[in-house]
Amino acid sequence: MMRDFSDDHSALALNTATLGHNVEGQGAGWSPEQVIDTCCELGLGGVVFWRREIGGAAVRIGDYARRSGLTVAGLCRTPFLVGPSAPQPRQKMLDDFEASIDMAAGLGAGVLTIVTGGVEPGTKGMGESLKRVAETVAEMAPLADRRGVRLALEPLHPVYGGDRSCLVTVRDAVDLCEAIGHPAVGIAVDVYHVWWDTSLAGQLARAGGQRILGYHLCDWLAETRDVLLDRGMMGDGVADLKSIRSAVEQAGYDGLCEVEIFSANDWWKKPPRDVLQTCIERFRSVC
Ligand code: ZN
């Protein structure tokens, strides 16, 4: 039995990427407070920020959200742990990982997203890189746990396999969770990255509700022009949104649904309030 959102969008959360905030020079440039005020006014249940928006103000912004009655559902994200863009040397990556945990804790965000990074230089394929991801996450999980933050491994679409994410399937994400074996480690499920996967429902069932730490909404446009910055609004693409949510909820997830649309040439060009109204309408009708 799926939750009925047809006249209730209190389970909708805004990932501020949807308003273009996390890329320099994009979006309306709203402050975090302005985002929080507008989400509250429009009846959303939560918000997810990016680190560059928060800077040194995590505690202040977290308090502001709580006083406003809005849940800070998560923070994006750790540094890349492996791959060509991971901070070097490794200690620098670990320090930045810890800083991201601190920021999430300061905000009161229960979940910190991990984008793993791509294939480790000097290696080929995913195997060695995934092994190193498991080692690093296992090393940091107790620290995150002590600060009340859970770590969500987010598999990305395989098109990002080389440089952004050696983790490309929910199956591999659940394998990592099992290898790490720490209760503070789970997965994030993003429609954009998993919609094509015909084994999704079975893998989500394997993950179980306790390990699903986030569900991210958007759509895959049939004629995607840019795999990074041309995500679709829910209902405009080819993802079977109701089936995916059904599988996520069947697995035991009952948390917020986070709209996350990177769309440099379309939605980021529209007034944020209109974008949010459309998100609400689509959430109620097609998600
Ligand atoms: Zn996502």
Side-chain angles (χ1 to χ4, degrees), residues 70-118:
L70 195 70
T71 301
V72 181
L75 178 68
C76 299
R77 59 179 172 70
T78 63
F80 291 138
L81 314 184
V82 291
S85 304
Q88 290 293 340
R90 185 168 185 270
Q91 189 56 50
K92 196 171 155 204
M93 177 274 291
L94 293 174
D95 290 346
D96 194 48
F97 197 149
E98 184 170 353
S100 66
I101 291 171
D102 284 342
M103 185 182 286
L107 272 173
V111 175
L112 173 64
T113 302
I114 298 175
V115 175
T116 63

Side-chain angles (χ1 to χ4, degrees), residues 15 76 113 154 156 188-191 193 216 231 258 260 262:
N15 183 307
C76 299
T113 302
E154 181 165 351
L156 302 196
V189 181
D190 187 323
V191 163
H193 302 305
H216 305 172
R231 292 188 182 204
E258 170 186 335
E260 184 184 26
F262 297 78

Side-chain angles (χ1 to χ4, degrees), residues 80-88 116-123 125 129 160-166:
F80 291 138
L81 314 184
V82 291
S85 304
Q88 290 293 340
T116 63
V119 174
E120 187 71 354
T123 76
S129 302
Y160 301 114
D163 61 346
R164 284 177 184 266
S165 182
C166 61

Side-chain angles (χ1 to χ4, degrees), residues 170 173-174 177-178 187 189 201-212 251:
V170 171
V174 180
C177 288
E178 289 184 347
I187 68 171
V189 181
Q203 292 302 326
L204 291 172
R206 208 185 128 217
Q210 295 299 320
R211 282 212 195 99
I212 301 174

Side-chain angles (χ1 to χ4, degrees), residues 50-78:
W50 288 69
R51 284 171 74 188
R52 62 178 294 274
E53 301 170 287
I54 303 301
V59 172
R60 181 170 59 75
I61 294 167
D63 283 346
Y64 187 86
R66 269 185 298 282
R67 278 201 310 275
S68 309
L70 195 70
T71 301
V72 181
L75 178 68
C76 299
R77 59 179 172 70
T78 63

Side-chain angles (χ1 to χ4, degrees), residues 78 81 90 93-94 97 101 114 116 129-146 149 151-153 175-186:
T78 63
L81 314 184
R90 185 168 185 270
M93 177 274 291
L94 293 174
F97 197 149
I101 291 171
I114 298 175
T116 63
S129 302
L130 285 171
K131 201 170 134 252
R132 294 189 195 185
V133 167
E135 285 164 8
T136 297
V137 175
E139 200 173 324
M140 300 303 280
L143 177 70
D145 201 20
R146 283 197 297 278
V149 175
L151 303 172
L153 289 157
D175 283 350
L176 281 183
C177 288
E178 289 184 347
I180 295 161
H182 195 289
V185 178

